[in-house]
Amino acid sequence: MSSSTDLLRQQRLIRELSASVTRAIAADPAVHIRQQQFFKGNRSLNNYAPHLRLQEQEQLTLLRGVADSLALRLQHSDAALHQKNMPDHPVARMIFDWLESLRAESLVPDTLPGVKANLHQRFYYWSAGFHHAGHTNSALGILLYTMAQMCWSRLNGMPVYEETEDLIESTRAAMGGDLGPLLAGIRKHRASQTLYAPYALHIAALISSSIDHALENQKKAKDEEEDEAIDAFSLLLDLDSGQEGAINTATSGDSSTFAALNKNYHIFDTSFDTQSYVADKIRPELLDAYREQINKRVAAQHINVNVLVQRIRHALCTPTAEQWEWDQEEGLIDGRRLSQLVSSPMERRLFKQPIQQLINQCSVSFLIDCSGSMKGNAETITMMVDLLSRAIERSGAKTEVLGFSTNAWNGGKPYRRWMSKGRKKHPGRLNEIDHRIFKDADTSWRHANRSIMGLLKLDLYREGIDGEAVHWACQRLLSQPSQRKLLYVISDGCPIDSATNLANDDFYLDNHLQHVLSQYAKQGVEICGLGINLDLSQLYPQYLIADLHKGLDNHFLDDFIFSLRMKRR
């Protein structure tokens, strides 16, 4: 294993352990790690305050400070009340939110000295990083920094960061007249969020007003160095970062039509349905161009494919019955050779060692939603599926790459036929579906890697009817001899077909999908919904999120490999 892989695993373990600590202290089972970030349900928790923002790599002791702070925030802060008091001004909003995190941290009981030490260490770590990054050299940076030091010090009864104590003294003295009574107020009322909020709002308003005034003066001066300071300050605040990592959740509900039909899924007309090999419809020259395009993207990712294969093999393989290697010079004593210990005292080959052989008896299918909304991520998804199917196949498993869409928008021929026949009530599905094969299980990646590029033919992306596609993909999996069968459904939303929804109801296709998932889970197919920038937990009991805003990263690959072994854990 490479050192980078070991480091990635270590970071994941550290963050999972930290999330466990947060769950325990906050007594909140909804806290978890998703793609190496802290979440409560589907809300990102890691960006409440600048000193809690996670780095790509974190030391255990410093990450514990973040985990403990988030736990105290969940325990002592009413999110609805906080949101109600949140000011509109972006800088004031950031400061007010920061002060609420500092208030929650100050409420750590003396019975948890380790937690208290973690919180102090985290704040001092942020202080050192802020200072050494040069942010305290600008008027804006020193203003914000001094405010944070003064508020933290007063709330916790601790000295400010020693290295910068002299640096902030003049700014601290200048701010003391205005902030003095307010600091006394936040200290006095820190146990009450309601009484604390007016003082925090006043501090936020004062600081944001001072920053606005400083920015206005600097714009008038048109000083090039100050322009750089403003840019650095804007990056430092990262005012939209509170939303970074937030993932929307797919919504679903109960379908009255599906219930009225006793959960029997109806299809109005199947005569126009197709199953196609998309690559056969695309010019070879275009497929070659697509292949070159994806090769460049894969190369730019700098992913060690050999390491990825090893990790996937370890996740998917299962040990065979134990076998032994005899006549060894170390290991476990072989009882059959004990007599030789007496007759030949110099004989050393009296031991046996276990031999563990791993076998891969898995089939993994990727089923891609080729609906119109997926076009924006088509290139990254193609790269993802291409890379994973290649690595999984090299690990010894069978792979398929499938897709689904419709042949028309808004129903096509079945919908027009239904209209002409009097619009029968509860007609069921009213579009012509197309199930697509990009790589089948019997074709190696080497021979199918160009066909997979058919995923980049964006004019074939229309609408998506997920339930029937999952049924089709599961049937293909069940026909394979592998013992373990996994299906990843890659989608960025709920099933959608405008004609079908209009003639039935909004959740008709959703309910059919859930019925299919339940049916095949009982037959042993492991189905995971892989949401593209979306949480599919309302539809899929097992789900994974691919946050592709930053492309395909190691965090996603780490989570994907973890999902491969979920059934075995």
Side-chain angles (χ1 to χ4, degrees), residues 294-305:
I294 294 301
N295 287 343
K296 291 179 180 178
R297 281 291 306 273
V298 172
Q301 292 292 129
H302 301 294
I303 294 173
N304 189 323
V305 178

Side-chain angles (χ1 to χ4, degrees), residues 146-170:
T146 304
M147 179 277 302
Q149 294 291 324
M150 292 173 70
C151 292
W152 182 85
S153 176
R154 183 62 66 92
L155 283 168
N156 291 279
M158 294 285 292
V160 298
Y161 182 55
E162 184 178 2
E163 184 181 351
T164 57
E165 186 174 5
D166 293 338
L167 176 67
I168 67 172
E169 190 56 39
S170 60

Side-chain angles (χ1 to χ4, degrees), residues 337-351:
R337 304 288 298 273
L338 288 177
S339 60
Q340 289 186 350
L341 186 60
V342 177
S343 61
S344 303
M346 301 303 293
E347 177 62 60
R348 297 180 56 85
R349 294 176 297 172
L350 306 174
F351 301 91

Side-chain angles (χ1 to χ4, degrees), residues 282-292 450 453 457:
I282 305 175
R283 290 183 296 106
E285 296 80 7
L286 185 56
L287 286 175
D288 290 337
Y290 288 155
R291 182 68 258 178
E292 182 63 25
R450 197 177 69 160
M453 299 302 103
K457 195 72 167 68

Side-chain angles (χ1 to χ4, degrees), residues 265-282:
Y265 181 69
H266 287 186
I267 303 171
F268 181 74
D269 191 345
T270 62
S271 57
F272 303 104
D273 297 346
T274 56
Q275 177 176 296
S276 63
Y277 287 84
V278 176
D280 293 342
K281 304 177 182 178
I282 305 175

Side-chain angles (χ1 to χ4, degrees), residues 185-478:
I186 62 173
R187 172 66 184 180
K188 179 180 179 181
H189 298 294
R190 62 196 177 102
S192 170
Q193 185 177 354
T194 302
L195 298 177
Y196 176 91
Y199 294 95
L201 285 169
H202 200 165
I203 293 173
L206 278 175
I207 300 301
S208 63
S209 177
S210 298
I211 288 174
D212 284 345
H213 183 68
L215 287 172
E216 188 63 31
N217 289 339
Q218 289 175 6
K219 287 179 181 178
K220 291 178 180 179
K222 294 183 180 179
D223 189 320
E224 189 171 321
E225 290 186 4
E226 293 294 348
D227 283 345
E228 292 179 359
I230 293 173
D231 291 340
F233 183 70
S234 299
L235 291 173
L236 171 68
L237 289 181
D238 196 10
L239 296 175
D240 294 327
S241 66
Q243 302 301 318
E244 184 180 351
I247 300 292
N248 293 326
T249 303
T251 58
S252 187
D254 294 327
S255 167
S256 58
T257 301
F258 199 64
L261 296 173
N262 296 318
K263 297 185 178 180
N264 291 317
Y265 181 69
H266 287 186
I267 303 171
F268 181 74
D269 191 345
T270 62
S271 57
F272 303 104
D273 297 346
T274 56
Q275 177 176 296
S276 63
Y277 287 84
V278 176
D280 293 342
K281 304 177 182 178
I282 305 175
R283 290 183 296 106
E285 296 80 7
L286 185 56
L287 286 175
D288 290 337
Y290 288 155
R291 182 68 258 178
E292 182 63 25
Q293 178 181 341
I294 294 301
N295 287 343
K296 291 179 180 178
R297 281 291 306 273
V298 172
Q301 292 292 129
H302 301 294
I303 294 173
N304 189 323
V305 178
N306 292 328
V307 172
L308 180 61
V309 171
Q310 292 177 31
R311 296 183 67 199
I312 290 175
R313 181 180 291 119
H314 182 72
L316 289 177
C317 289
T318 54
T320 60
E322 196 170 66
Q323 299 181 16
W324 295 94
E325 189 172 11
W326 310 95
D327 301 328
Q328 300 299 303
E329 294 188 356
E330 60 182 10
L332 301 174
I333 294 177
D334 180 4
R336 300 174 304 176
R337 304 288 298 273
L338 288 177
S339 60
Q340 289 186 350
L341 186 60
V342 177
S343 61
S344 303
M346 301 303 293
E347 177 62 60
R348 297 180 56 85
R349 294 176 297 172
L350 306 174
F351 301 91
K352 61 180 181 179
Q353 290 183 350
I355 303 173
Q356 190 180 68
Q357 294 182 338
L358 299 177
I359 58 172
N360 190 335
Q361 296 182 328
C362 300
S363 292
V364 182
S365 289
F366 295 98
L367 178 64
I368 298 100
D369 172 13
C370 297
S371 58
S373 59
M374 292 279 280
K375 291 181 180 180
N377 291 300
E379 183 176 315
T380 304
I381 292 169
T382 303
M383 176 182 63
M384 173 204 302
V385 171
D386 179 67
L387 180 66
L388 292 178
S389 59
R390 175 188 176 190
I392 291 170
E393 182 181 290
R394 284 180 55 184
S395 77
K398 292 277 190 178
T399 62
E400 281 201 322
V401 179
L402 309 172
F404 65 96
S405 188
T406 60
N407 286 316
W409 293 96
N410 303 317
K413 299 181 184 70
Y415 178 70
R416 291 193 291 272
R417 181 171 290 183
W418 173 71
M419 293 281 287
S420 66
K421 291 188 176 182
R423 303 185 183 183
K424 177 185 174 182
K425 187 178 181 181
H426 303 329
R429 189 248 294 171
L430 285 176
N431 208 331
E432 46 194 276
I433 61 174
D434 182 33
H435 290 158
R436 299 168 179 176
I437 300 172
F438 300 95
K439 176 192 178 302
D440 60 42
D442 295 325
T443 305
S444 67
W445 176 87
R446 181 179 179 182
H447 291 99
N449 69 85
R450 197 177 69 160
S451 298
I452 295 173
M453 299 302 103
L455 285 164
L456 291 174
K457 195 72 167 68
L458 301 186
D459 57 350
L460 298 178
Y461 283 54
R462 295 186 178 90
E463 299 190 87
I465 299 175
D466 301 46
E468 290 185 66
V470 171
H471 169 76
W472 169 65
C474 286
Q475 286 293 319
R476 293 179 64 90
L477 272 173
L478 290 172

